[in-house]
Amino acid sequence: MSERGLNTVSFAGHAASSAQFKALYAEGMGLVEETASYLDGPGRLASKALPRMASVLYAAESMRLTTRLMQMASWLLLQRAVNNGEMSRDQVLSEKSKVRLDSFNVDRNAPGWNDLPEMFRDLIERSLRLQNRVALLDREIYRPQEATTFVPDNQNGVKAQIKLLQTAFGTN
């Protein structure tokens, strides 16, 4: 039997504790600070001058934006705790079940979207890109290890799969 799959390298696991993670962490926390500063300052002033539909959309999107950023910040902090040895992987798995990285999408065709301040829309777009990167890293690090089917070195992999399908569907 081949030992394929047993000696694989988890690139995501290495990336999660590398300089790349530190850059992602800095980018995420920086975006949280930048967004908070914008929403408390220029964004607050800009939102007062918006047409009614855009004003309602601004309120809804600012809640989604802050929620999205807080979820990402929570994930980044948990991953940093693992990297620093402050938490075990099991502790993080328990805590990260509370973190949502797969929601809070944006409807760019919603009435009033184009009336929203450009800086606000930019923050939303940047947060969505960051959310996608964090969610991808999360899936790569924490997804359950799939069972690996071992194929003997002398057996054709495609032929083995066909045989499995025939067995599953009862055809020979």
Side-chain angles (χ1 to χ4, degrees):
M1 294 274 260
S2 170
E3 296 291 318
R4 282 184 242 157
L6 292 180
N7 295 324
T8 59
V9 175
S10 169
F11 292 110
H14 290 310
S17 60
S18 69
Q20 293 162 330
F21 173 77
K22 290 177 184 166
L24 180 66
Y25 180 87
E27 180 183 349
M29 294 306 180
L31 188 56
V32 167
E33 288 179 28
E34 182 182 351
T35 300
S37 176
Y38 174 80
L39 292 175
D40 284 341
R44 186 177 307 236
L45 294 173
S47 69
K48 291 178 182 181
L50 292 173
R52 182 166 186 210
M53 286 301 294
S55 180
V56 170
L57 183 60
Y58 182 92
E61 289 301 330
S62 63
M63 285 190 296
R64 286 187 193 111
L65 174 61
T66 54
T67 302
R68 181 183 313 114
L69 289 171
M70 290 301 103
Q71 295 295 308
M72 284 187 294
S74 295
W75 188 92
L76 290 167
L77 288 166
L78 285 170
Q79 188 58 46
R80 186 181 75 169
V82 169
N83 294 350
N84 293 340
E86 298 165 1
M87 293 179 79
S88 72
R89 182 179 167 95
D90 289 338
Q91 288 173 314
V92 169
L93 286 172
S94 173
E95 289 300 315
K96 85 170 216 64
S97 66
K98 302 169 190 168
V99 176
R100 298 284 320 249
L101 296 172
D102 59 351
S103 57
F104 312 115
N105 287 323
V106 173
D107 180 7
R108 293 168 188 87
N109 295 318
W113 176 260
N114 291 328
D115 294 326
L116 295 175
E118 185 177 339
M119 179 64 181
F120 182 66
R121 287 183 289 158
D122 179 63
L123 289 168
I124 291 170
E125 294 299 332
R126 289 168 46 206
S127 73
L128 289 168
R129 285 192 301 271
L130 187 63
Q131 176 187 24
N132 288 335
R133 288 170 43 209
V134 168
L136 177 62
L137 188 57
D138 178 71
R139 282 190 302 272
E140 290 300 314
I141 295 170
Y142 296 106
R143 73 178 169 203
Q145 298 298 320
E146 289 103 24
T148 305
T149 304
F150 294 107
V151 178
D153 287 334
N154 63 350
Q155 186 176 349
N156 181 323
V158 174
K159 189 174 181 179
Q161 290 298 312
I162 291 171
K163 185 72 171 166
L164 286 171
L165 287 170
Q166 288 172 338
T167 302
F169 292 105
T171 61
N172 285 326

